[in-house]
Structure formats: C-alpha cells, structure tokens
C-alpha cells in the first residue's frame, strides 16, 4: 500500500480526507509563500511565462502511487500545449533508467576508466561511461522527435538530433522539431569508479521561430539564458535513483521503483529550507577565491555569520549529489570564481542554469555572487559561470559580502571623483 509520507502530504495544499482516494493537487508552494523575497519577485517580474495549470490527480493506485508517466499525462490533460513536453519526458526517463542501470553495472561490465586520448573540447579526458551515457541520452532524445538541436558536455559543438553523423547537413532542416536539449550526461563521472554518486543534468529550451531554415541561427539559438528554460532536471544515481524536475510550476522529485520500473512521486513540491547549517565548497581552492567568499566561509565556520552558529562542511565533488543534499537539507553549495578559473569551473548552459531553475522553483536562490544565474547570457556552449546556490537566506548572506566590497569600492571611487553615482549602481565585483 503506497501512501505519501506525512510531511510530503502537508506540503500539498490538498483537501485530504483520511482515505487515499481523495484527489491529489500539486500546488507549487514557493510563489505565494514569500512574495517579498527578491528571488521570487525577480523571477516573477522577469519570468512572466504562462503558468501551467497544476493537475488534480485522483484515484491514486495504492500499489504504484503517482508515476512520472502519470504525472506528465495529467499535466498534459490540463495543459494540452504540453503534449510535446510529455513525450520528451518519456524519452528522458527511459534514458535515465538505462544510465542508472549502466552506472550500477559499470564495474561488472568493465565500463570503468577512460578511453585513452579521448578528450572533450574542454580538455577533460572522457571516461567510458561519459561516452556511453552521452550516446544513450542522444539516442533517446533523438527518437522523441522534437529536438532540432542538442548540446552536450561531451560534444564539442551543438549537433542536430536528426543527423546521425552529428553534423548539420546542408539539407532542409526538419521544421517539425522546435526544441533544444542541453545536458551533462554523467556529471561527476570522475567519481564513478570509486562508487561515489553521479548524475545527469538536463535543460529544455524552445527554438525561436527565426531558425526555421537558417542553420547558423539554430546554433546561436542554443545560447539562451536560463530564464528561457521550458523544463529542467537532474537524475541522481546513488543509494536510490532520484529524478528531480521542474516545468516552471514547482520542483518535484520522483524515485525509481525498480520493481515496477517506474519513477514514483516521492517529493512533491520540494521547498528548500529558508536557511541551513551546511556549506559545500571545494576548500582546496580556498586561497584562490575572491576575498568576499573567503571572509564568508571563515565567518560561517567560526559561528561569526548571521546565524551565529558553526556550519558543517559537506562536499562530494559531484554537483548533482551536492545540490540534491542542499535541496533536501538546506544550506549553501558553491563553485565560485577564483584566481585560476576566473569564471569558476561549472558550465552555465547544462549545469548551472538547469540547477538554478530547479532551485528557484523550490524557493531557493542561485547566483554568481552578484546576480541571478538565470539571467546570465551564455557566450559559448561550454561557457563557465561562478555558482552559489541554496537556501535563500544563506545565499543572500554570501551576496552581502560582495555588496559590501562593491559599496566600499564605489565610495572610495566616488570620493576620489573617479565615479559618478549612476555608474556606481551597476558596478560588479571584479
Ligand atoms: P566531472 O564531471 O568532470 O567529474 O566534474 C564534476 C564537476 O563538474 C561537478 O560535478 C563538481 O561539482 C565539480 O566538477 C567538482 O570539481 P572539483 O573536483 O574541482 O571540486
């Protein structure tokens, strides 16, 4: 008999009677809870995307619960314009189940280690599982039949999903396809052979109409800010396989029930805690970080931060695992810029932007330290961006360290007559 864990039920403003037959209505929580929160105002102001009608799900089968397939079908029933997105998620979950299985069997099937000399355009050695996961996802997205362009961490350039050779044909481009998929097929793969959790991160954009027959425009269309994402998600391959996704109406988590081969709704309308007590940064880079970050980390380690308590350190080194823990328990995860990597390490298009969409939809915050990640325009498919994300109060506290420096710099420049008030306003931390 499958029931929703009580704390899950409380998150859903459902008129639940004591039997399980009452309808289930998934209401994204974050919108109405904290309208005064700049993150949401920001996203609401900027993101006047039409909200999807949240499905009311009745007759929940006590054996299966609400599967992701059922959830997408219900969502499409309430929002017929989402029919393509529903089949897109069918292909994504097939790929995630296959990759989950391959990850679990990678040692047994000798899919560990690297292909000698195979480097991706970022100069990173490609592990065998990077290549395998990339192929699985490319194939699944290809037969979904809606993608004109896909961009992956493991592909040097964006490619057309309908061209098996992977390069754009000179032929007519298939006008029926209007979506772009961006993804990191196996994030954290450097940890895989030691059994550490890894994951897949994905984002879905729509093509602009202009790129109908103009290949170059289609390529450029990939470089969109996170604010334009139609959907995003990640799949964590760990003690359980968990797919967390958003279509812009809340962030929901589904756990793979291997016995029925379905992702089942276990975390409806995830709401990240307003403030946490865990920080997650690779401290090996500490002395290279900007001063504001060094000061912030020092303060939360010594209990000198706003919360006056000492934060615990947790860092896996797989973004999906570190972000999932942050979403569940609260706190702050970051891969900031530093003197060696001026834009940090994480890629904007297929790592940071999808994660920022999920965080904002769960009431969290995601910034570069000085502005929302969702507003950053990618200059290149593999462009990197400083990433600070997590509980809104924690991220705002870190941002205040940057603001203080910017303010101080401005004051000095203003006093020295080297800056006029208008410019002072849009000074970034450099
Ligand atoms: P790989 O996919 O190359 O393993 O990189 C993982 C990652 O992109 C991200 O998942 C981690 O948060 C980050 O890099 C870890 O980087 P460090 O090893 O420098 O901490």
């Amino acid at each position: 008999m499958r029931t929703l864990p009580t704390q899950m039920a409380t998150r859903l403003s459902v008129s639940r009677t004591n039997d399980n037959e009452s309808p289930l209505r998934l209401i994204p929580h974050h919108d109405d809870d904290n309208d005064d929160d700049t993150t949401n105002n920001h996203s609401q102001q900027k993101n006047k995307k039409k909200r999807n009608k949240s499905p009311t799900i009745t007759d929940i089968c006590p054996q299966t619960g609400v599967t992701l397939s059922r959830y997408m079908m219900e969502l499409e029933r309430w929002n017929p314009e989402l029919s393509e997105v529903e089949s897109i998620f069918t292909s994504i979950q097939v790929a995630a189940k296959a990759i989950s299985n391959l990850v679990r069997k990678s040692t047994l099937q000798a899919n560990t280690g690297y292909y000698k000399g195979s480097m991706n355009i970022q100069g990173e050695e490609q592990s065998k599982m990077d290549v395998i996961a990339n192929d699985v996802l490319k194939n699944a997205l290809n037969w979904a039949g809606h993608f004109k362009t896909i961009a992956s961490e493991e592909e040097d350039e964006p490619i057309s999903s309908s061209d098996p050779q992977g390069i754009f044909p000179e032929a007519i481009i298939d006008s029926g396809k209007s979506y772009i998929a961006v993804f990191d097929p196996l994030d954290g793969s450097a940890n895989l052979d030691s059994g550490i959790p890894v994951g897949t991160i994905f984002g879905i954009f729509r093509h602009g109409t202009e790129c109908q027959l103009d290949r170059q425009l289609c390529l450029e269309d990939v470089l969109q800010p996170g604010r334009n994402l139609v959907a995003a998600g990640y799949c964590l391959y760990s003690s359980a396989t968990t797919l967390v996704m958003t279509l812009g109406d809340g962030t929901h988590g589904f756990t793979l029930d291997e016995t029925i081969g379905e992702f089942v709704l276990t975390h409806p309308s995830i709401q990240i805690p307003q403030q946490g007590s865990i920080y997650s940064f690779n401290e090996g880079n500490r002395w290279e970080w900007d001063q504001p970050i060094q000061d912030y980390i020092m303060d939360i380690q010594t209990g000198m931060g706003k919360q006056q308590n000492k934060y615990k350190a947790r860092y896996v080194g797989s973004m999906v695992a570190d972000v999932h823990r942050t979403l569940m328990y609260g706190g702050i995860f970051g891969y900031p810029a530093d003197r060696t990597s001026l834009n940090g390490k994480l890629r904007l298009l297929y790592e940071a932007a999808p994660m920022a969409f999920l965080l904002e939809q769960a009431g969290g915050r995601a910034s570069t330290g000085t502005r929302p990640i969702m507003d950053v325009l990618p200059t290149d498919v593999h462009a990197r961006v400083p990433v600070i994300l997590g509980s809104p109060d924690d991220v705002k506290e870190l941002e205040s360290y940057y603001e203080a420096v910017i303010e101080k710099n401005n004051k000095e420049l203003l006093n020295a007559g080297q800056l006029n008030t208008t410019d002072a306003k849009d000074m970034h931390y450099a």
Side-chain angles (χ1 to χ4, degrees):
M1 173 67 136
R2 190 185 299 277
T3 56
L4 278 174
T6 38
Q7 87 274 9
M8 297 287 166
T10 49
R11 269 201 213 134
L12 304 171
S13 38
V14 287
S15 53
R16 179 176 295 286
T17 54
N18 54 16
D19 67 40
N20 271 312
E21 294 320 307
S22 58
L24 174 70
R25 188 145 187 273
L26 295 175
I27 310 257
H29 264 276
H30 61 289
D31 270 0
D32 40 5
D33 289 5
N34 40 24
D35 283 347
D36 61 353
D37 175 296
T38 49
T39 314
N40 286 330
N41 295 345
H42 183 86
S43 55
Q44 281 155 358
Q45 274 147 20
K46 289 262 174 125
N47 184 11
K48 283 282 171 278
K49 268 189 247 164
K50 187 180 94 39
R51 286 220 78 84
N52 302 325
K53 291 197 211 75
S54 299
T56 296
I57 301 179
T58 54
D59 323 325
I60 298 171
C61 166
Q63 306 315 333
T64 65
V66 179
T67 63
L68 176 55
S69 314
R70 168 96 190 273
Y71 173 74
M72 293 307 295
M73 274 192 277
E74 296 285 355
L75 198 64
E76 197 232 326
R77 201 168 286 140
W78 289 65
N79 309 274
E81 72 284 6
L82 289 180
S83 60
E84 293 166 333
V85 178
E86 193 241 334
S87 67
I88 286 172
F89 268 85
T90 304
S91 64
I92 288 173
Q93 54 170 314
V94 168
K97 291 172 193 171
I99 297 171
S100 172
N101 190 33
L102 287 160
V103 161
R104 260 181 240 308
K105 297 218 176 77
S106 57
T107 309
L108 299 169
Q109 296 172 339
N111 283 331
T112 51
Y114 293 78
Y115 290 120
K116 280 273 157 289
S118 80
M119 296 286 221
N120 64 23
I121 194 163
Q122 298 139 76
E124 294 160 347
E125 251 196 319
Q126 287 180 311
S127 72
K128 288 185 186 166
M129 279 300 295
D130 278 329
V131 176
I132 294 169
N134 190 47
D135 289 344
V136 168
L137 208 46
K138 268 200 314 185
N139 294 335
L141 294 171
N142 196 12
W143 62 256
H146 296 300
F147 290 102
K148 186 188 296 291
T149 316
I150 48 183
S152 160
E153 183 192 33
E154 303 308 333
E155 302 285 344
D156 298 354
E157 298 297 333
I159 51 177
S160 155
S161 64
S162 60
D163 174 352
Q165 287 90 34
I167 48 171
F168 272 87
E170 296 309 321
I172 290 287
I173 295 176
D174 180 327
S175 57
K177 299 180 176 176
S178 54
Y179 290 88
I180 303 166
V182 296
F183 55 89
D184 180 351
L186 205 60
D187 175 66
S189 56
N191 293 316
L192 179 65
D193 299 355
S194 57
I196 303 277
V198 291
T200 295
I201 309 172
F202 63 89
I204 311 290
F205 292 99
R206 265 201 192 84
H207 264 302
T209 46
E210 314 73 38
C211 101
Q212 280 315 329
L213 287 176
D214 180 325
R215 188 175 70 187
Q216 193 45 40
L217 270 180
C218 289
L219 284 178
E220 284 152 24
D221 239 2
V222 173
L223 303 182
Q224 298 188 40
R227 214 43 85 200
N228 295 1
L229 280 164
V230 172
Y234 62 75
C235 193
L236 173 65
Y237 312 113
S238 180
S239 48
T241 293
T242 311
L243 195 150
V244 175
M245 51 77 79
T246 184
L247 287 136
D249 50 2
T251 293
H252 312 290
F254 299 78
T255 303
L256 181 59
D257 179 339
E258 319 256 359
T259 59
I260 60 171
E262 285 283 345
F263 284 101
V264 175
L265 180 63
T266 47
H267 300 74
S269 304
I270 296 171
Q271 180 70 21
I272 189 171
Q274 193 67 20
Q275 168 256 314
S277 60
I278 296 173
Y279 72 98
S280 183
F281 290 68
N282 178 346
E283 290 195 69
N285 305 331
R286 181 186 195 125
W287 310 118
E288 306 277 306
W289 289 336
D290 302 336
Q291 200 53 47
I293 300 260
Q294 291 193 35
D295 298 345
Y296 167 75
I297 296 290
M298 173 72 85
D299 286 351
I300 59 168
Q301 282 178 330
T302 53
M304 304 300 285
K306 264 214 188 104
Q307 314 307 331
Q308 300 293 303
N309 61 341
K310 287 187 180 160
Y311 277 46
K312 283 188 297 233
R314 293 283 182 278
Y315 188 74
V316 176
S318 292
M319 183 187 193
V320 176
D322 285 315
V323 170
H324 188 68
R325 184 201 53 249
T326 305
L327 208 46
M328 295 295 116
Y329 299 161
I332 188 165
F333 163 80
Y335 208 108
D338 60 42
R339 277 192 283 279
T340 325
S341 9
L342 296 179
N343 279 316
K345 176 184 181 183
L346 304 175
R347 281 44 64 109
L348 172 59
L349 204 53
Y350 45 77
E351 288 182 311
M355 289 299 197
F357 191 19
L358 291 161
L359 262 291
E360 284 198 359
Q361 286 294 318
R365 196 175 176 89
S367 104
T368 63
T370 56
R371 58 189 176 124
I373 285 173
M374 291 280 272
D375 294 343
V376 180
L377 193 60
T379 51
D380 169 85
V381 171
H382 304 292
R384 300 172 194 264
V385 70
V387 172
I388 310 289
L389 58 78
S391 297
D393 291 1
D394 292 313
V395 177
K396 265 188 249 165
E397 184 178 350
L398 185 151
E399 288 171 337
S400 68
Y401 284 68
Y402 274 105
E403 279 147 25
V405 173
I406 294 170
E407 231 158 87
K408 184 168 150 292
N409 291 354
N410 284 355
K411 255 203 211 83
E412 282 156 12
L413 291 168
L414 277 167
N415 300 346
Q418 289 164 1
L419 184 73
N420 61 37
T421 39
T422 26
D423 296 346
K425 276 212 201 58
D426 50 4
M427 284 298 278
H428 279 302
Y429 182 87

